Amino acid sequence: MNLINMDSENRVVLNVGGIRHETYKATLKKIPATRLSRLTEALANYDPILNEYFFDRHPGVFAQVLNYYRTGKLHYPTDVCGPLFEEELEFWGLDSNQVEPCCWMTYTQHRDTQETLAVLDRLDLDTEKPSEEELARKFGFEEDYYKGTLSWWQEMKPRIWSLFDEPYSSNAAKIIGVVSVFFICISILSFCLKTHPDMRVPFVRNITVRTANGSSAWFLDKTQTNAHIAFFYIECVCNAWFTFEILVRFISSPNKCEFIKSSVNIIDYIATLSFYIDLVLQRFASHLENADILEFFSIIRIMRLFKLTRHSSGLKILIQTFRASAKELTLLVFFLVLGIVIFASLVYYAERIQTNPHNDFNSIPLGLWWALVTMTTVGYGDMVPKTYIGMFVGALCALAGVLTIALPVPVIVSNFAMYYSHTQARAKLPKKRRRVLPVEQPRPPRLPGAVSACGTPGSGPNSGPMGSGGTGPRRMNNKTKDLVSPKSGPIGASIVAISPRTVLDMNPALAMSKPLFESRGPPITSKNFKDTEHNATETSKQNFL
């Protein structure tokens, strides 16, 4: 018996989320400075009746936590989310970096997911309309909003910004977004069509010459062609809209510095500025010999296509995919450059080993072009090896190109699929979540003889209807009063007061002090309990009458 008692004293019972775990106290001492290594009976979550510690935490995670104390190896349960596992480990005082290598990749997936969600938050893909308080905080007049002293400009500024920068905020913003996309498409279409020969007007000069007999003659000379005048007016209308849009967005922007540093805005105002610079050069520098070279800079107007990213979430995701895959793209370019240099040198010397009168590889720089189009599997056929050794080098170049490109591409594709899937999931989530109230702390147990908040003595062994010094139902404690309904009267009060099981449940001190009804009579059964309630009811009726 002494050995059994000693073994029971060395064990501890942990009730976590309704599931009881039993282990040795020495097991919990294996990892010091943790919550389980400092268990004492003075803690508030210790139950002296059941002789166990109760923790309202996740029971599934605690199984792995207790296994960590037993084996020294922390594994990640795959049926819980990563942030939940981290919160549980933080509660128990454990380090999440102690997860075993076999579970580390699965465990850290939630961190990548959180980074992805943070990126999507920065992309501003949500179409939910912000509240007035959020708008005031965003534009920096939060104090005026709380004071109720907003000016007309402070009220109109967020509305103007939403109209021109958030195409899905309202119906009017959608109309302005459609107009902006229309002018972008017309501008790009005009830029492309004005280079077509059928869309250009010849520039004809009248030249007078002297003939052999001394008389003069003239003829028409077509030196160049210019774009039709209609394209100029189309460009003027489009750039007038772009200028108006830039000015309105700049004036109503919440942060001028961020507006200027935005890459899409940089492309926008440089493309718009190039139109006005082109007008000035045509007016004052058209007589220069190299004036045609200046038209090359107008190609920056084609970059206006990136303005469509404000109207399409797919383009935002595509650009963010390239940003997230910068390391893989750098690795791909490095492999391509390495292979191009190697195979260009090999094919140059391979074609010179044998007699080859029609050798296309007269230098290594020419071989660089051949190696590039071969590794990318384009194969224009403008340069081909004609010797057997050169053909062998060409076959190796093509195989190396296929393998080099195939290695990093799946990573880029997976990044795009990840961003796109999260975007679709966020679009289907409800915008308003149910509010969860904070956890109410449980009341501490009352000690025998303690005084309640109302001034009535606590439920001790001698207090209440079952004690020797009790005065019957009139001296019930607060818990007994809660159990009696207002309409029950003295009959209900007598039933609750005389019922031994009810008093035992209400007063844990009686259970610890072993009341008299447990030792004087037979064990309480359902029949005896009903008989007791019936007798108490009859007695109370007679007293009442």
Side-chain angles (χ1 to χ4, degrees):
M1 289 295 294
N2 293 332
L3 294 176
I4 296 176
N5 293 333
M6 290 179 61
D7 184 68
S8 62
E9 291 179 357
N10 293 328
R11 287 181 294 178
V12 61
V13 179
L14 304 173
N15 188 342
V16 180
I19 298 179
R20 301 175 75 250
H21 301 267
E22 190 170 358
T23 184
Y24 289 103
K25 295 180 180 179
T27 303
L28 303 179
K29 299 295 183 182
K30 290 182 179 180
I31 306 178
T34 58
R35 185 179 293 271
L36 294 179
S37 64
R38 298 190 296 263
L39 292 179
T40 60
E41 296 181 357
L43 295 176
N45 54 355
Y46 175 71
D47 190 349
I49 302 175
L50 301 177
N51 192 21
E52 66 180 18
Y53 295 88
F54 177 75
F55 297 93
D56 192 14
R57 308 298 299 186
H58 196 284
V61 177
F62 182 75
Q64 299 297 332
V65 171
L66 188 58
N67 184 66
Y68 180 40
Y69 281 89
R70 291 168 177 165
T71 62
K73 296 182 179 180
L74 181 59
H75 293 276
Y76 170 66
T78 57
D79 58 340
V80 297
C81 190
L84 174 61
F85 185 64
E86 285 186 346
E87 291 177 1
E88 292 296 316
L89 292 182
E90 183 180 0
F91 174 79
W92 298 112
L94 301 178
D95 187 7
S96 60
N97 294 325
Q98 300 300 321
V99 177
E100 291 297 309
C102 60
C103 301
W104 182 255
M105 292 299 297
T106 309
Y107 162 63
T108 53
Q109 285 181 356
H110 74 281
R111 298 181 181 176
D112 299 334
T113 303
Q114 289 177 344
E115 293 178 359
T116 303
L117 296 177
V119 170
L120 295 179
D121 289 336
R122 292 196 299 268
L123 292 180
D124 195 15
L125 299 176
D126 293 334
T127 59
E128 183 182 4
K129 186 176 181 180
S131 62
E132 295 182 357
E133 184 179 358
E134 293 175 349
L135 288 176
R137 188 182 302 108
K138 180 179 180 180
F139 284 84
F141 42 83
E142 187 176 3
E143 295 182 358
D144 295 336
Y145 172 76
Y146 289 133
K147 294 179 181 178
T149 59
L150 293 177
S151 61
W152 68 270
W153 171 243
Q154 289 177 336
E155 293 180 355
M156 292 297 299
K157 187 176 180 180
R159 299 179 183 177
I160 297 175
W161 174 257
S162 300
L163 283 177
F164 285 87
D165 197 75
E166 298 174 358
Y168 300 99
S169 59
S170 62
N171 293 329
K174 291 180 182 179
I175 295 175
I176 293 179
V178 170
V179 172
S180 180
V181 172
F182 172 76
F183 280 112
I184 291 173
C185 295
I186 292 297
S187 176
I188 300 301
L189 188 63
S190 172
F191 178 79
C192 297
L193 289 180
K194 71 180 182 180
T195 59
H196 195 276
D198 296 338
M199 301 291 180
R200 299 183 68 87
V201 178
F203 181 75
V204 180
R205 294 188 304 172
N206 187 0
I207 299 177
T208 304
V209 295
R210 290 280 181 178
T211 60
N213 55 7
S215 62
S216 62
W218 57 273
F219 67 96
L220 299 178
D221 181 25
K222 187 181 76 170
T223 58
Q224 62 181 5
T225 58
N226 295 328
H228 197 275
I229 192 64
F231 292 106
F232 172 75
Y233 294 115
I234 292 174
E235 286 288 333
C236 289
V237 174
C238 293
N239 282 274
W241 167 260
F242 295 144
T243 305
F244 171 74
E245 187 181 19
I246 291 174
L247 293 177
V248 171
R249 293 177 62 240
F250 177 76
I251 294 173
S252 62
S253 62
N255 193 328
K256 301 295 189 297
C257 294
E258 292 183 0
F259 181 85
I260 295 175
K261 292 186 295 184
S262 177
S263 57
V264 178
N265 293 333
I266 290 175
I267 294 174
D268 193 8
Y269 50 71
I270 288 180
T272 306
L273 188 63
S274 66
F275 171 75
Y276 297 104
I277 294 176
D278 192 17
L279 290 179
V280 174
L281 293 177
Q282 289 180 2
R283 176 68 176 81
F284 297 102
S286 59
H287 61 280
L288 299 179
E289 296 181 358
N290 297 328
D292 295 338
I293 301 177
L294 300 177
E295 294 183 358
F296 175 77
F297 294 99
S298 63
I299 199 174
I300 198 173
R301 299 177 196 173
I302 207 74
M303 303 296 289
R304 278 204 185 99
L305 288 173
F306 288 99
K307 289 182 62 178
L308 297 177
T309 57
R310 294 194 295 111
H311 308 274
S312 174
S313 60
L315 290 176
K316 290 182 179 180
I317 296 172
L318 182 62
I319 295 175
Q320 185 58 40
T321 300
F322 288 123
R323 289 180 180 176
S325 307
K327 294 182 180 179
E328 289 78 12
L329 292 174
T330 304
L331 188 64
L332 175 61
V333 172
F334 174 75
F335 285 159
L336 283 177
V337 171
L338 187 63
I340 287 170
V341 174
I342 292 175
F343 288 106
S345 303
L346 288 177
V347 75
Y348 170 74
Y349 290 105
E351 289 292 291
R352 295 172 63 90
I353 292 177
Q354 297 181 3
T355 303
N356 186 11
H358 303 287
N359 186 11
D360 296 330
F361 300 92
N362 296 323
S363 63
I364 292 180
L366 290 176
L368 294 175
W369 168 253
W370 169 84
L372 175 62
V373 297
T374 304
M375 291 191 70
T376 55
T377 66
V378 176
Y380 290 114
D382 53 347
M383 298 176 61
V384 292
K386 298 179 177 61
T387 62
Y388 291 106
I389 301 178
M391 294 178 184
F392 179 72
V393 173
L396 292 179
C397 181
L399 292 176
V402 171
L403 296 176
T404 301
I405 296 175
L407 289 177
V409 166
V411 179
I412 302 174
V413 174
S414 64
N415 287 337
F416 179 81
M418 177 182 62
Y419 284 115
Y420 188 78
S421 61
H422 281 294
T423 304
Q424 296 299 318
R426 285 164 59 95
K428 296 178 181 179
L429 284 176
K431 300 300 180 182
K432 294 182 179 180
R433 297 295 188 91
R434 183 174 182 177
R435 189 166 61 100
V436 180
L437 298 177
V439 178
E440 183 179 358
Q441 298 296 330
R443 296 179 180 178
R446 293 182 178 178
L447 299 177
V451 180
S452 63
C454 297
T456 57
S459 55
N462 298 326
S463 63
M466 296 302 296
S468 60
T471 59
R474 295 184 180 179
R475 297 190 61 183
M476 295 183 295
N477 54 19
N478 293 335
K479 294 183 179 180
T480 307
K481 291 181 181 180
D482 295 337
L483 293 175
V484 180
S485 62
K487 297 182 180 181
S488 61
I491 299 177
S494 301
I495 295 174
V496 178
I498 296 176
S499 174
R501 184 175 296 274
T502 307
V503 177
L504 180 62
D505 294 336
M506 291 186 303
N507 199 341
L510 293 177
M512 297 177 61
S513 60
K514 295 183 179 180
L516 298 177
F517 63 83
E518 291 186 2
S519 58
R520 291 183 178 180
I524 297 176
T525 60
S526 59
K527 182 179 179 181
N528 296 336
F529 186 68
K530 292 180 179 179
D531 294 340
T532 305
E533 289 183 339
H534 178 71
N535 296 333
T537 305
E538 294 296 333
T539 305
S540 300
K541 286 182 178 180
Q542 294 176 3
N543 294 333
F544 179 74
L545 295 174

